[in-house]
Amino acid sequence: MEAATPKKRFRRKKKICAFCADAIVNVDYKQVEVLGRYVNEYGRIRPRRQSGTCARHQRSLALAIKRARHIALLPFVAD
Ligand SMILES: [Zn+2]
């Protein structure tokens, strides 16, 4: 009997944290080109499941993005 069981066609590729890979302890809020990779087209911080950043670096990254926004390096909202 055929049950509606979805096949596991979309296997997740194992992501590694880019900051761990580069041995970066704290994310630098002045590196806009780095931070820019972790915000989406609306200027929002991309979730960990998309970026593959580890919990520690995601926290550090979020803080860095918020600092960068405060000093107008990154937009709060992009249109
Ligand atoms: Zn990390």
Side-chain angles (χ1 to χ4, degrees):
M1 183 180 164
E2 292 201 344
T5 46
K7 289 189 178 115
K8 286 179 184 173
R9 269 184 292 187
F10 304 103
R11 283 198 53 222
R12 289 279 168 271
K13 191 166 168 259
K14 178 88 176 119
K15 290 177 198 164
I16 61 142
C17 172
F19 299 106
C20 281
D22 291 346
I24 293 168
V25 180
N26 283 308
V27 184
D28 189 0
Y29 66 91
K30 295 186 289 309
Q31 289 185 306
V32 189
E33 65 279 6
V34 174
L35 301 179
R37 292 204 292 265
Y38 295 96
V39 294
N40 67 11
E41 68 265 42
Y42 306 110
R44 300 194 62 188
I45 301 168
R46 290 176 65 199
R48 224 146 69 71
R49 63 178 179 272
Q50 281 176 19
S51 61
T53 316
C54 74
R56 213 163 75 81
H57 281 116
Q58 181 72 14
R59 267 198 301 277
S60 179
L61 175 72
L63 189 67
I65 289 170
K66 284 163 189 173
R67 279 179 184 157
R69 280 172 178 167
H70 184 70
I71 57 167
L73 291 177
L74 285 177
F76 280 93
V77 187
D79 53 349

